[in-house]
């Protein structure tokens, strides 16, 4: 995680930042400028020169065909995968230049929902939710709900209530359905008290009904808390219904950046071509 | 002509013999034949020894019960050595396994050092460790317990590390994304995810320790092995038979318990 990133020349980077920032009236929640990633020492480029900015409270969907680097892009935005070039700013702070400690602190302010939920299967739902406070509260007190301070336990229950699963707090995570697991993962990220949530195909491993439930949960949280939401989806219908804005990745580049309500069949036809 | 071209080619009955594999196979056969000679394997001597086996077997029946109580106490000590050695060994194995797992080690040097230590503990035979500890701390169960601790670290350290490496990386990635430290990730994700496999390994380790603790007594490291050694040296084969039976029931009981515990564990999963 301590890899120093090769930045584009300062002036080029500043231009990329200015261009990306120009779409936002105020300071963006997330700003990505000139981001590049490739595998096998540059032989397999994933995406090139991706720049965009997302305003606070906006809900943005990233769409694209398989293998276009949507999930990699989202992971690069939190340096779960190190990008090769470019920079990512979260609430004005440069994530790509952050040292290990600062990176951990910055990550703690962003929720990340994975396609496969990534709960710890043998632990209770409440312990899994409690993990969201790990970076906020140092030490062992948030490792398991039995050790946690009363205030954190209550807040974890509140997070579970927000996703409608307070009655399952004591159940083991491996005894939940796919939809319930994903909602617990959302509760875990709410426990972080995040300013923004990234979701990597949150409905992909769920049946259509559970998928809709999860997306509805996102919408209601976004409306209630005003947090920024960035989600990757294969389902254009989800992008149209649950996002304010849609970004489309094609052949490693940002091919579309439109308002969700403007996304029509002619744009989609040209995009998926 | 066209038919002949279309007909599929019949594979040869035997594949072509490659030179290098054939040479290696011949070398192995030659080495095995030499090893048989060096091991002094002699069917004639085996047949000549059958009457002695029968005589010793006859002397073993009926097993003697005159020293049953001290023998049972020694057996209990043997089990206690195994239990203490295994539990302490497992507790010490966990942090060492974290350092020795490629995905959780804090530094490559620590990885190499801990892997090296575990390999040393595992590859040196337990009898050699027992002789070392008997010479260091004197005769008795403590030397045996230390031997079992070292043996358990060698066994569990390696398998715990592999269990952690093979566990689902998803929860660890989630905690990384939350901003967790290495310690948070190991405690909250790596160990809970690897726990069933680690408990399984620990149960095997207990079985192994009980069997090993019997043999350790033969070199003076305490327990029932001392009794067995004395009985054999005094030609009290009837007493030796009692000891062998006791060991058999102890090992069976531990294996049965371990098997039941394993079943319950995986049924709950």
């Amino acid at each position: 995680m301590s890899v120093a990133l090769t930045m584009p020349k300062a002036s080029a980077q500043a231009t990329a930042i200015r261009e990306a920032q120009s779409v936002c009236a105020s300071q963006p929640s997330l700003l990505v400028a000139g981001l590049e990633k490739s595998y096998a020492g540059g032989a397999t480029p994933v995406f090139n020169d991706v720049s965009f900015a997302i305003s606070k409270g906006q809900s943005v969907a990233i769409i694209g065909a398989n293998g276009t680097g949507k999930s990699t892009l989202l992971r690069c935005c939190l340096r779960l995968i190190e990008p090769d070039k470019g920079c990512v700013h979260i609430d004005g702070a440069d994530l790509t230049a952050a040292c290990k400690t600062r990176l951990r602190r910055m990550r703690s302010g962003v929720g990340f929902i994975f396609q496969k939920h990534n709960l710890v299967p043998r632990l209770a739902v409440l312990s899994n939710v409690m993990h969201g406070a790990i970076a906020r509260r140092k030490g062992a007190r948030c490792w398991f709900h039995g050790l946690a301070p009363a205030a954190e336990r209550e807040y974890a229950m509140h997070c579970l209530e927000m996703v409608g699963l307070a009655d399952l707090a004591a159940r083991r995570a491996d005894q939940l359905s796919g939809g319930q697991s994903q909602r617990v993962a959302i509760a875990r990220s709410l426990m972080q008290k995040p300013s923004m949530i990234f979701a990597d195909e949150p409905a992909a491993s769920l049946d259509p009904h559970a998928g809709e439930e999860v997306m509805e949960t996102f919408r209601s949280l976004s409306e209630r808390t005003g947090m920024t939401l960035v989600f990757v989806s294969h389902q254009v219908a989800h992008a149209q219904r649950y996002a304010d804005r849609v970004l489309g990745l094609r052949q490693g580049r940002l091919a579309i950046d439109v308002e969700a309500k403007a996304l029509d069949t002619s744009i989609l036809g040209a995009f998926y071509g | 002509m066209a038919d002949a071209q279309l007909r599929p080619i019949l594979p040869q009955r035997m594949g072509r013999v490659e030179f290098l594999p054939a040479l290696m196979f011949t070398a192995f056969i030659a080495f095995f034949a030499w090893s048989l000679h060096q091991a002094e394997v002699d069917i004639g001597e085996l047949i000549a020894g059958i009457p002695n086996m029968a005589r010793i077997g006859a002397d073993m029946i009926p097993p003697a019960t005159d020293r049953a109580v001290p023998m049972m106490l020694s057996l209990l000590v043997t089990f206690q050595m195994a239990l203490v050695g295994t539990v302490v060994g497992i507790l010490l194995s966990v942090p060492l396994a974290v350092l020795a797992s490629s995905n959780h080690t804090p530094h490559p040097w620590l990885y190499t050092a801990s892997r090296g230590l575990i390999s040393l503990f595992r590859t040196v035979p337990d009898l050699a460790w027992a002789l070392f500890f008997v010479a260091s701390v004197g005769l008795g169960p403590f030397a045996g317990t230390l031997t079992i601790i070292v043996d358990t670290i060698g066994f569990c350290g390696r398998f715990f590390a592999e269990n952690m490496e093979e566990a689902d990386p998803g929860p660890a990635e989630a905690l990384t994304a939350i901003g967790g430290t290495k310690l948070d990730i190991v405690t909250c994700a790596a160990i809970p995810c690897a726990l069933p496999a680690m408990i399984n390994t620990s149960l095997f380790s207990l079985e192994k320790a009980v069997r090993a603790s019997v043999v350790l007594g033969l070199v003076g490291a305490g327990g029932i092995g001392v009794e067995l050694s004395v009985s054999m040296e005094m030609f009290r084969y009837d007493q030796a038979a009692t000891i062998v039976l006791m060991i058999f029931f102890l090992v069976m009981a531990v294996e049965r318990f371990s098997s039941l515990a394993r079943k319950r564990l995986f049924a709950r999963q």
Side-chain angles (χ1 to χ4, degrees):
Chain A
M1 288 299 187
S2 61
V3 178
L5 296 173
T6 316
M7 295 290 180
K9 282 182 181 169
S11 59
Q13 189 181 337
T15 312
I17 292 173
R18 252 195 322 276
E19 279 174 9
Q21 217 163 4
S22 64
V23 296
C24 298
S26 58
Q27 187 190 64
S29 263
L30 174 69
L31 182 129
V32 172
L35 209 64
E36 290 188 26
K37 179 68 193 172
S38 57
Y39 289 118
T44 322
V46 183
F47 50 79
N48 272 318
D49 195 21
V50 171
S51 302
F52 59 87
I54 295 174
S55 308
K56 189 165 170 50
Q58 212 172 23
S59 175
V60 176
I62 302 175
I63 61 168
N66 283 333
T68 48
K70 306 179 295 296
S71 299
T72 308
L73 174 63
L74 213 56
R75 281 171 162 77
C76 283
C77 287
L78 220 50
R79 278 178 61 190
L80 294 173
I81 295 174
E82 287 289 349
D84 298 330
K85 280 184 183 173
C87 64
V88 177
H89 288 222
I90 290 176
D91 294 324
D94 189 353
L95 182 98
T96 35
C99 65
K100 272 186 186 177
T101 314
R102 186 163 162 70
L103 176 63
R104 276 203 299 272
R105 207 165 44 243
M106 290 180 76
R107 280 174 176 164
S108 72
V110 181
F112 199 111
I113 309 294
F114 296 84
Q115 187 183 335
K116 289 182 179 170
H117 333 309
N118 288 355
L119 300 179
V120 183
R122 297 181 61 79
L123 297 185
V125 163
L126 195 59
S127 289
N128 271 286
V129 175
M130 199 65 71
H131 290 166
I134 267 178
R136 196 171 62 239
R137 276 197 165 266
K138 287 205 170 95
R141 298 206 70 186
C142 287
W143 286 350
F144 307 102
H145 74 85
L147 303 172
E152 294 293 357
R153 281 167 62 89
E154 274 169 28
Y155 190 69
M157 282 304 288
H158 171 66
C159 294
L160 276 172
E161 271 168 22
M162 284 173 88
V163 297
L165 290 178
D167 52 331
L168 299 183
R171 192 176 288 185
R172 257 172 61 159
D174 52 3
Q175 291 170 351
L176 302 175
S177 70
Q180 288 170 337
S181 294
Q182 195 60 297
R183 279 150 68 198
V184 172
I186 297 169
R188 178 175 61 186
S189 64
L190 291 176
M191 188 72 193
Q192 291 175 244
K193 300 180 179 170
S195 61
M196 179 162 46
I197 287 188
F198 292 163
D200 182 13
E201 298 189 42
S205 63
L206 307 175
D207 63 60
H209 175 69
E212 289 298 327
E213 260 184 15
V214 165
M215 294 310 296
E216 279 296 340
T217 308
F218 276 127
R219 172 149 66 189
S220 94
L221 287 173
S222 183
E223 282 169 6
R224 270 192 283 171
T225 61
M227 71 174 76
T228 311
L229 174 67
V230 185
F231 67 95
V232 166
S233 182
H234 266 301
Q235 299 181 47
V236 176
H238 280 175
Q240 287 170 319
R241 205 176 314 150
Y242 299 107
D244 306 322
R245 181 175 155 207
V246 179
L247 305 177
L249 273 180
R250 191 179 60 185
Q251 294 173 344
R253 289 192 177 270
L254 205 58
I256 55 173
D257 181 352
V258 293
E259 295 279 308
K261 53 189 172 215
L263 195 67
D264 56 19
T265 46
S266 64
I267 296 175
L268 287 170
F271 178 66
Y272 285 109
Chain B
M1 187 63 187
D3 282 355
Q5 277 176 348
L6 287 173
R7 192 180 302 152
I9 298 162
L10 190 65
Q12 288 185 331
R13 286 181 191 278
M14 302 278 279
R16 227 181 97 206
V17 178
E18 299 280 336
F19 175 71
L20 197 64
L23 183 71
M24 284 170 70
F25 183 69
T26 312
F28 172 75
I29 295 292
F31 186 76
F32 183 72
W34 183 42
S35 304
L36 274 178
H37 178 258
Q38 290 295 101
E40 298 181 7
V41 175
D42 189 336
I43 301 295
E45 273 187 31
L46 179 68
I47 292 167
I50 287 175
N52 285 338
M53 289 184 205
R55 185 177 52 76
I56 294 170
D59 286 351
M60 283 181 159
I61 298 168
T65 52
D66 52 331
R67 297 199 65 250
V69 174
M71 282 175 187
M72 283 172 92
L73 288 175
S74 291
L75 192 73
L76 183 64
V77 170
T78 301
F79 177 70
Q80 287 168 325
M81 274 165 56
L83 187 71
V84 172
T86 308
V87 171
V88 175
I90 288 168
L91 292 176
L92 295 175
S93 296
V94 174
L96 202 59
V98 172
L99 301 179
S101 63
S102 56
N103 46 350
H104 298 296
T105 191
H107 197 279
W109 288 1
L110 284 172
Y111 171 80
T112 309
S114 50
R115 281 273 168 178
L117 189 66
I118 289 170
S119 293
L120 175 74
F121 285 174
R122 195 179 60 252
T123 49
V124 174
D126 48 5
L127 275 182
W129 284 117
L131 290 168
F132 171 72
F133 285 123
V134 165
S136 309
V137 299
L139 294 167
F142 184 48
T145 308
L146 287 174
T147 305
I148 291 166
I149 290 173
V150 168
D151 204 38
T152 303
I153 294 173
F155 181 76
C156 289
R158 179 196 166 176
F159 286 107
F160 285 1
E162 283 173 11
N163 297 153
M164 284 186 224
E165 283 172 357
E166 287 161 8
D168 178 13
E173 192 186 18
L175 293 187
T176 307
I178 286 169
T181 59
K182 283 244 178 207
L183 186 62
D184 294 328
I185 291 162
V186 165
T187 319
C188 299
I191 292 178
C193 288
L195 201 61
M198 286 168 74
I199 293 174
N200 201 16
T201 303
S202 304
L203 290 170
F204 276 123
S205 175
L206 179 65
E207 288 177 28
K208 188 172 166 290
V210 171
R211 282 194 298 268
S213 60
V214 171
V215 182
L216 297 181
L218 298 175
V219 293
I224 194 78
V226 180
E227 293 275 350
L228 182 61
S229 173
V230 170
S231 299
M232 292 299 275
E233 279 165 13
M234 295 177 72
F235 304 109
R236 286 293 308 268
Y237 297 124
D238 52 346
Q239 282 186 358
T242 310
I243 294 167
V244 169
L245 279 174
M246 282 178 170
I247 293 168
F248 172 75
F249 286 121
L250 175 68
V251 173
M252 282 294 291
V254 171
E255 284 186 2
R256 185 87 190 116
F257 161 77
S258 161
S259 166
L260 277 173
R262 210 170 284 129
K263 253 187 208 160
R264 272 186 68 90
L265 175 74
F266 287 105
R268 279 188 68 189
Q269 274 196 293

